[in-house]
Amino acid sequence: MSVRIAVVGTGNIARIHVEALRELGDRVTVVAGVDIDEARAREFCAAHGIPRAGADLPAVLAATRPDLVHVCTPPGAHLDAARAALAAGAHVLVEKPPTLTLREFDELAAAGPVATVFQHRFGAGVQRLRAADFGRPLVAQCDTSWFRPQEYFDVPWRGNWDTEGGGPTMGHGIHQMDLLLAVLGDWTEVRAVARRQARRVATEDLSLALVEFDSGAVASVVNSVLSPREESRLRFDFERATVELTHLYGYGDDDWRVTPAPGHEAAWTGPSGASGHRAQFAAVLDALVAGEPLPVTAAEARRTLSLVAAIYASAFTGRPVRPADVGPGSPFYDRMQGSGPPWEAP
């Protein structure tokens, strides 16, 4: 079976999606590319050998009848595109962040089968870690230390709450935080600070958080776009081993390091393979063909999105935040910034 796929939004992330899909061979057929700028859609489709281009999403979906729609638009347009795809009878795979708010996410999840792109979950190193028995998790570190100059934020939709949903906590570190949660499970409480240190943006450019987990583990989380030496880093200290992952935008087998506690052998065996879109897309196709929920499921994506909301809520209220504190009725359920940060928009 070849799964018919349409791509909505034809910017750089769409290019990455199509290139990864091409690596899956005859398992997929990319049937359409859609963009509000029809000329850009036509140029994109011509470059990638995609037969149908257009700007009218419902019309293109009706004409091509895809099984799966990849939503690769800027974040503010995710919700409408995903709704249109669901209305056309397609499954949906949406780039991160899936929506701008928890309220929008719950509306979308209720509308139909939606999965979110969190490709770091699908590298072989995570599979080995989940299979290993290192004992109880105790403490972790989750750092996304990236660098984005002011010119990066001069694109109109970037650095604004209403179009991007937040700064590095929402748009950059969310991948690392999702992987943290994939390993440690449910979070229970957050204490955080957020700052606008150096960039002319409405959102934060830096956040730091202390996160507690249902298991009793605790983690520090840093999200920055102010770090000239860029690095993505996760460290897990279990009872019997330390497991570290250091990379930038994607990891391979050599980016992991395991240090056993004295007197313990570290069992670190299993499959090999890098993280990346291709690995997740292959898993999505497997699930689609088998009639199973697509990974990453709505419940898993919501847990990550709620952690983002909690970091903002704690940072802007100065109080510890639990999951219920960002549920319906909370200003942070309706908007990531809640009633607003303690700084004025530039």
Side-chain angles (χ1 to χ4, degrees):
M1 172 183 176
S2 181
V3 174
R4 296 169 60 81
I5 294 176
V7 177
V8 183
T10 57
N12 185 58
I13 194 63
R15 175 189 60 79
I16 293 172
H17 276 233
V18 169
E19 289 174 354
L21 289 168
R22 294 297 190 209
E23 294 177 7
L24 298 173
D26 58 8
R27 296 191 66 189
V28 303
T29 302
V30 182
V31 297
V34 184
D35 199 288
I36 58 173
D37 183 336
E38 186 164 358
R40 184 166 61 183
R42 292 186 182 280
E43 181 180 357
F44 178 85
C45 290
H48 295 283
I50 300 171
R52 179 70 180 251
D56 186 332
L57 178 57
V60 172
L61 295 177
T64 58
R65 302 183 64 81
D67 304 301
L68 177 65
V69 173
H70 286 226
V71 177
C72 301
T73 65
H78 284 178
L79 180 60
D80 287 344
R83 280 174 169 164
L86 291 170
H91 290 70
V92 174
L93 180 63
V94 61
E95 261 294 340
K96 60 77 185 173
T99 59
L100 296 183
T101 70
L102 284 168
R103 176 181 55 78
E104 289 183 353
F105 185 85
D106 287 347
E107 292 174 2
L108 181 58
V114 177
T116 302
V117 176
F118 283 126
Q119 70 269 19
H120 289 343
R121 288 176 176 242
F122 296 87
V126 174
Q127 298 176 46
R128 293 198 301 270
L129 176 55
R130 285 174 161 173
D133 182 12
F134 295 137
R136 187 164 55 96
L138 304 174
V139 61
Q141 298 171 27
C142 175
D143 297 339
T144 302
S145 302
W146 292 1
F147 185 82
R148 296 293 184 270
Q150 183 60 46
E151 292 77 16
Y152 172 86
F153 294 101
D154 291 339
V155 175
W157 60 268
R158 287 188 177 136
N160 294 304
W161 294 103
D162 293 340
T163 52
E164 198 170 18
T169 315
M170 180 71 150
H172 301 81
I174 192 170
H175 276 302
Q176 292 288 105
M177 290 188 290
D178 178 74
L179 188 50
L180 177 78
L181 296 176
V183 175
L184 294 184
D186 292 336
W187 65 273
T188 57
E189 188 169 279
V190 174
R191 298 172 178 86
V193 297
R195 297 283 188 270
R196 187 181 64 188
Q197 296 278 62
R199 300 291 178 259
R200 295 188 306 277
V201 291
T203 65
E204 88 290 359
D205 54 20
L206 170 71
S207 70
L208 297 89
L210 169 65
V211 184
E212 299 183 34
F213 290 84
D214 190 55
S215 66
V218 294
S220 64
V221 177
V222 174
N223 299 295
S224 168
V225 288
L226 307 176
S227 308
R229 189 182 73 78
E230 294 188 289
E231 184 176 76
S232 302
R233 182 172 181 267
L234 280 161
R235 172 176 172 145
F236 301 95
D237 290 319
F238 298 92
E239 290 177 305
R240 295 190 290 275
T242 292
V243 181
E244 296 170 275
L245 170 62
T246 304
H247 65 111
L248 188 51
Y249 302 135
Y251 62 81
D253 295 333
D254 293 340
D255 296 319
W256 293 84
R257 182 170 65 175
V258 178
T259 305
H264 293 277
E265 294 277 340
W268 186 247
T269 59
S272 299
S275 68
H277 288 82
R278 180 189 183 280
Q280 180 169 2
F281 295 170
V284 167
L285 294 182
D286 290 341
L288 186 63
V289 171
E292 298 173 350
L294 307 187
V296 173
T297 65
E300 293 171 313
R302 193 190 192 284
R303 180 174 62 183
T304 299
L305 200 62
S306 70
L307 176 58
V308 174
I311 291 174
Y312 288 129
S314 179
F316 296 161
T317 65
R319 298 193 299 268
V321 170
R322 300 179 66 84
D325 297 330
V326 292
S330 164
F332 295 92
Y333 179 78
D334 295 319
R335 304 195 313 163
M336 280 291 164
Q337 70 271 40
S339 57
W343 57 78
E344 294 184 1

